[in-house]
Amino acid sequence: MAKNEWGMSVYPLVPGHEIVGEVTEVGSKAQKFDVGDRVGVGCVVGSCHSCDSCKNNLENYCPKSILTYGAEYHDGSITYGGYSDTMVADEHFVVRIPDNLPLDVAAPLLCAGITVYSPLRYYGLDKPGLHVVVVGLGGLGHVAVKFAKAMGAKVTVISTSPSKKKEALENLGADSFLVSRDKDQLQGASGTLDGIIDTVSAQHPLFPLLGLLKSHGKLVLVGAPEKPLELPVFPLLQGRKVVGGSMTGGLKETQEMIDFAAKHNVKPDIEVIAMEYVNTAMERLLKADVKYRFVIDIGNTLKATTS
């Protein structure tokens, strides 16, 4: 969004859609929250409330959903995100952060967390004993590993980088690790997986992944490559395999995810930074030089400016 890589950015742009803090004021009609409550706002701040998606608590799929930043709000103004010291939001799009979940680690759950939690639930990959693969070990992937393990799955990580093996097994608790470019390793795992959560946003082949699935297995894409991926059909026919997608989650499920994370101690790995470090952090992101999410300490480092 910052560089308009998806062709939808509106400038001036104030990013940030993993926002946490405390309620400082409530409107006269607000009923869900009180001053002092610990809360968060994720990727969506508005929807139509009347379509099938909204009626089924899937506001993220509403045709008229309003993104937290860079979108037109109901009143015609442009939404601004969390790189700011205050924010006003419709209480319907605010979630409660449990007291035992630190605010800094809660923030990335509001996008990265729900992005991987929702498909694990929806596609039935949340059952103990299932064998789930997470492709890509970054901001999304590392949280996917933690949620899948908390749900009782056997988890394998697939990465292009052999150097991430120790991190995956020892620090994140994965059960096994495969290098995506090692054909022998992939062949050894052929037909053994119940599901795959593919978090990769770069161009990559799907054919090798489909070969890893059991019959009726599911490959779920949650990354967003700029260019279309090639989808081979025969591997789908041979085993009734499914390729699907998923994008964040509705507010009911987001609250469920936050509560699950608090109960099962699912915490993203973060690096807390000051506001003045943001440009450097952006440069490091391009080099994948972060484990695994930057969190900006707005409250203590954003300095007021006068015009």
Side-chain angles (χ1 to χ4, degrees):
M1 290 289 283
K3 296 185 177 182
N4 199 26
E5 293 173 333
W6 291 338
M8 58 187 288
S9 299
V10 178
Y11 299 100
L13 186 78
V14 178
H17 63 194
E18 297 175 325
I19 309 160
V20 295
E22 292 185 357
V23 176
T24 57
E25 187 176 351
V26 295
S28 59
K29 296 181 181 179
Q31 299 178 340
K32 288 177 59 178
F33 301 101
D34 296 312
V35 171
D37 285 351
R38 306 165 79 250
V39 297
V41 175
C43 303
V44 176
V45 293
S47 68
C48 75
H49 298 288
S50 60
C51 68
D52 286 344
S53 291
C54 286
K55 290 177 182 177
N56 287 289
N57 301 301
L58 294 169
E59 298 88 348
N60 54 312
Y61 296 125
C62 171
K64 297 181 179 179
S65 65
I66 301 172
L67 299 180
T68 302
Y69 66 91
E72 184 176 333
Y73 199 62
H74 299 298
D75 62 2
S77 64
I78 299 300
T79 57
Y80 294 139
Y83 290 21
S84 54
D85 56 359
T86 61
M87 180 181 189
V88 180
D90 180 337
E91 67 176 0
H92 180 82
F93 297 92
V94 179
V95 296
R96 188 178 302 277
I97 308 298
D99 290 339
N100 65 325
L101 189 64
L103 289 179
D104 54 2
V105 296
L109 294 174
L110 295 171
C111 179
I114 188 60
T115 294
V116 296
Y117 179 92
S118 184
L120 286 168
R121 289 292 197 207
Y122 179 79
Y123 289 97
L125 301 178
D126 56 348
K127 309 296 188 296
L130 293 183
H131 191 173
V132 175
V133 154
V134 174
V135 184
L137 196 60
L140 293 177
H142 93 285
V143 181
V145 172
K146 294 188 178 193
F147 271 122
K149 286 297 296 182
M151 292 171 179
K154 176 183 177 182
V155 180
T156 294
V157 170
I158 294 181
S159 173
T160 58
S161 306
S163 60
K164 292 186 176 181
K165 180 177 181 178
K166 181 177 180 180
E167 172 74 9
L169 300 181
E170 297 183 11
N171 294 346
L172 299 178
D175 298 286
S176 56
F177 181 91
L178 301 174
V179 178
S180 59
R181 296 190 177 99
D182 190 320
K183 294 182 179 179
D184 291 337
Q185 286 188 15
L186 296 184
Q187 183 61 37
S190 178
T192 63
L193 308 179
D194 296 290
I196 300 173
I197 301 295
D198 185 347
T199 71
V200 177
S201 292
Q203 201 78 6
H204 63 290
L206 299 181
F207 180 78
L209 299 179
L210 293 171
L212 300 175
L213 291 170
K214 299 176 181 177
S215 294
H216 318 292
K218 300 160 186 173
L219 168 59
V220 186
L221 306 174
V222 297
E226 289 185 53
K227 298 180 180 179
L229 302 179
E230 183 176 329
L231 179 62
V233 174
F234 273 105
L236 302 181
L237 306 180
Q238 298 167 338
R240 197 185 280 168
K241 298 171 185 177
V242 173
V243 176
S246 187
M247 183 181 71
T248 65
L251 271 298
K252 181 179 179 181
E253 188 173 47
T254 300
Q255 185 66 66
E256 174 192 304
M257 176 274 304
I258 285 286
D259 293 341
F260 181 94
K263 180 179 179 180
H264 296 276
N265 199 35
V266 176
K267 297 178 180 177
D269 292 1
I270 63 171
E271 180 178 336
V272 178
I273 62 171
M275 191 68 196
E276 57 265 27
Y277 190 77
V278 167
N279 288 337
T280 302
M282 291 290 189
E283 294 172 2
R284 286 178 55 191
L285 276 176
L286 294 175
K287 304 173 185 177
D289 179 24
V290 57
K291 289 185 178 179
Y292 284 93
R293 269 292 205 260
F294 287 118
V295 174
I296 307 170
D297 184 0
I298 296 286
N300 290 314
T301 67
L302 179 60
K303 298 178 176 63
T305 59
T306 57
S307 55

